[in-house]
Amino acid sequence: MTVNDDSFTNWKNREEIAESMIPIIGKLHRERDVTVLLHSRSLVNKSVVSILKTHRFARQIAGEELSVTDTLPFLQALTTLDLGPSQIDLGMLAATYKADERGLSVEEFTAEAVAGATGANKIECRQGRDVVLYGFGRIGRLVARLLIEKAGSGNGLRLRAIVVRGGGADDLVKRASLLRRDSIHGQFQGTITVDEANSTIVANGNEIKVIYANDPSEIDYTAYGIKDAILIDNTGKWRDREGLSNHLRPGVDKVVLTAPGKGDVPNIVHGVNHDMIKPDEQILSCASCTTNAIVPPLKAMEDEYGVVRGHVETVHSFTNDQNLLDNYHKSERRGRSAPLNMVITETGAASAVAKALPDLKAKITGSSIRVPVPDVSIAILNLQLARETTREEVLDHLREVSLTSPLKRQIDFTSAPDAVSNDFIGSRHASIVDAGATKVEGDNAILYLWYDNEFGYSCQVIRVVQYVSGVEYPTYPAPAV
């Protein structure tokens, strides 16, 4: 047998193992509300090849490839336990087991590591929480995809309605089509049908009422059977407490804004300050995509080195706020053609840092350049640190943060030498540290942070909504603090 034959046989064996993992992962998700992760990446509804690629990606982070032969025993061990709703990271289980020197079996170690989610300790499945999307643009449709994807047993977040302005003939069909196909993020994973008679879109069995209204005051959500809902405002039309309070109609309990909030509206970056949300807070903001990209790594650097001052320059993909061709716009430069120009503009991300990290005393400034790409941006974070360090130390720190810290869902890490923006379309992290571009000299560190300003941000929005709804389940093994 040749070396090539050996490689192909190995590949087929790993394919078979990955295929055997799919029904186990699916059953845990549907029946017990357990989401199986691999280094913070969900394996739910993933194909055989996707599972193998996710295992291989661990090589970029941890330095060596993780094999399905390593993780399958832990997955099988989970099926023997009385698990409650939770998120369980097979990558972390395998890594911590390898470092454990007590000689426990995989079954014994797994039972101990996830004990908080089993038996008398487990969380009982909660009643599902209604969600309403107000607006159905770029972020609205991606949030809808994520809500449908995470429906699981039906005991989590349930997308019940979408509120839009009437668009004329075939409006419902056109909106369903936009949900079904996306030029950047690809096909919707599942089936979508339209019930025009009942103004309903049915996506993977989820019945979503489409409500036509020009103003929040026109809607009584209880008339549609909706109660205690979390409303996600994707329009950005109202950004202060007074304006957003208009959404607090019958059937709506909380309002989450997918844009920076103004005044006393809390700006929340999940992973950094989400645990500061008051239980009785009804109105909050998920800040901006750029704020979500820079605040987690800024916190990671502040915690380890201290930050004296910093500047962030974002090279940002163009958005619907800009003109396709030169035309009138209230902002002079944004009126120039987005796909033909680099456009200097402002960013509120730097000033929003103070809301998310009030303990950070360093002054952070920022600016932005819009460039002719439709998605994925990069933030260049230039920091003066409180102590001198080395490039190797900074990279080791950020790599470890991305693997084991409470920020591991926000910060990703890549050492790919040929990484470009398209590689990060669909990333579920708030930002991705580019190891190859990182520069450190003395007390100066320059971090290059990629982020999918559409999808990665939408994932952060969902995490905030899960948290305030009480369906954000704990992760095991627990990340290092």
Side-chain angles (χ1 to χ4, degrees):
M1 182 177 287
T2 67
V3 172
N4 286 338
D5 288 335
D6 284 342
S7 297
F8 186 58
T9 300
N10 178 265
W11 171 260
K12 288 193 295 182
N13 289 338
R14 288 187 291 137
E15 272 190 319
E16 185 177 359
I17 293 170
E19 190 171 357
S20 73
M21 297 172 80
I22 292 174
I24 301 174
I25 293 166
K27 189 173 183 179
L28 286 170
H29 187 57
R30 288 191 308 276
E31 296 182 2
R32 305 194 197 181
D33 272 343
V34 173
T35 300
V36 177
L37 311 172
L38 190 83
H39 287 315
S40 301
R41 289 167 165 77
S42 173
L43 296 182
V44 177
N45 291 328
K46 294 297 187 290
S47 67
V48 168
V49 172
S50 292
I51 290 173
L52 292 174
K53 286 181 69 176
T54 304
H55 278 74
R56 181 167 174 76
F57 186 79
R59 178 176 58 116
Q60 287 195 35
I61 304 174
E64 58 183 13
E65 186 170 342
L66 186 63
S67 173
V68 286
T69 59
D70 298 323
T71 57
L72 178 62
F74 295 98
L75 182 61
Q76 291 171 328
L78 293 176
T79 65
T80 67
L81 301 174
D82 181 24
L83 285 170
S86 55
Q87 299 185 102
I88 298 178
D89 195 316
L90 295 182
M92 287 295 294
L93 275 174
T96 51
Y97 179 70
K98 186 176 180 180
D100 191 86
E101 298 178 347
R102 293 175 294 165
L104 299 177
S105 68
V106 166
E107 292 76 16
E108 291 169 334
F109 182 84
T110 303
E112 179 183 278
V114 304
T118 60
N121 297 323
K122 70 180 183 182
I123 300 170
E124 294 302 323
C125 289
R126 298 184 175 96
Q127 186 177 0
R129 187 69 176 268
D130 291 349
V131 178
V132 173
L133 296 180
Y134 198 98
F136 204 49
R138 298 297 303 159
I139 299 302
R141 292 195 295 274
L142 290 177
V143 168
R145 285 189 174 199
L146 287 164
L147 288 167
I148 295 162
E149 172 195 299
K150 295 177 181 295
S153 65
N155 294 318
L157 300 175
R158 303 180 304 187
L159 177 56
R160 297 292 307 281
I162 297 163
V163 182
V164 293
R165 292 178 179 175
D170 296 326
D171 181 89
L172 198 64
V173 172
K174 291 175 182 176
R175 293 189 188 279
S177 183
L178 285 168
L179 179 62
R180 185 181 291 116
R181 288 178 288 270
D182 190 280
S183 299
I184 295 169
H185 301 284
Q187 299 276 348
F188 173 80
Q189 296 301 304
T191 63
I192 293 175
T193 56
V194 176
D195 181 353
E196 290 191 86
N198 293 302
S199 190
T200 300
I201 295 173
V202 183
N204 290 358
N206 295 269
E207 294 188 1
I208 307 162
K209 190 75 175 180
V210 179
I211 302 170
Y212 292 99
N214 293 315
D215 188 84
S217 63
E218 300 176 12
I219 312 167
D220 178 352
Y221 292 98
T222 60
Y224 302 95
I226 296 169
K227 61 180 182 179
D228 298 325
I230 298 174
L231 182 144
I232 305 174
D233 185 328
N234 305 290
T235 67
K237 183 176 180 181
W238 305 277
R239 291 171 58 187
D240 59 13
R241 187 173 295 275
E242 181 181 1
L244 292 168
S245 294
N246 293 322
H247 288 304
L248 294 173
R249 305 282 301 154
V252 171
D253 179 55
K254 294 182 185 293
V255 179
V256 175
L257 171 65
T258 62
K262 293 183 176 180
D264 67 342
V265 175
N267 279 254
I268 304 302
V269 174
H270 189 276
V272 175
N273 68 336
H274 67 278
D275 56 352
M276 302 299 289
I277 301 172
K278 297 176 182 177
D280 60 349
E281 179 61 74
Q282 288 189 288
I283 296 174
L284 52 92
S285 156
C286 289
S288 70
C289 56
T290 302
T291 303
N292 277 265
I294 66 172
V295 166
L298 187 56
K299 175 174 170 53
M301 295 298 286
E302 163 71 6
D303 289 348
E304 181 66 18
Y305 304 102
V307 174
V308 177
R309 64 175 58 86
H311 177 82
V312 61
E313 189 76 36
T314 70
V315 182
H316 199 292
S317 59
F318 62 77
T319 67
N320 272 331
D321 175 64
Q322 296 171 256
N323 290 332
L324 190 62
L325 294 171
D326 290 0
N327 208 342
Y328 174 82
H329 193 290
K330 62 182 181 180
S331 172
E332 287 84 354
R333 298 195 202 230
R334 291 196 191 191
R336 302 298 298 277
S337 172
L340 297 178
N341 294 289
M342 294 191 293
V343 179
I344 298 173
T345 187
E346 70 284 344
T347 176
S351 58
V353 168
K355 278 193 170 185
L357 283 174
D359 293 337
L360 181 69
K361 304 305 179 187
K363 180 176 176 59
I364 307 294
T365 58
S367 53
S368 180
I369 303 171
R370 298 287 180 93
V371 294
V373 294
D375 188 32
V376 179
S377 305
I378 190 166
I380 305 167
L381 190 57
N382 192 332
L383 303 175
Q384 181 186 346
L385 307 176
R387 69 175 174 89
E388 293 192 353
T389 183
T390 65
R391 181 174 182 272
E392 291 72 23
E393 184 186 344
V394 168
L395 290 178
D396 286 345
H397 170 60
L398 293 174
R399 183 187 291 109
E400 190 63 25
V401 166
S402 74
L403 274 174
T404 64
S405 83
L407 290 171
K408 64 181 184 178
R409 286 201 289 170
Q410 282 70 43
I411 300 176
D412 203 0
F413 188 94
T414 182
S415 55
D418 58 349
V420 294
S421 59
N422 267 8
D423 299 336
F424 305 104
I425 292 175
S427 170
R428 294 178 181 240
H429 289 77
S431 62
I432 306 100
V433 176
D434 191 316
T438 300
K439 303 181 187 306
V440 179
E441 185 173 343
D443 64 353
N444 178 237
I446 304 174
L447 308 182
Y448 287 74
L449 308 166
W450 298 100
Y451 58 109
D452 185 330
N453 48 278
E454 293 187 334
F455 197 75
Y457 176 68
S458 296
C459 289
Q460 283 287 88
V461 171
I462 289 292
R463 290 169 190 139
V464 170
V465 174
Q466 287 178 317
Y467 181 79
V468 298
S469 68
V471 297
E472 183 184 47
Y473 300 127
T475 300
Y476 299 95
V481 178

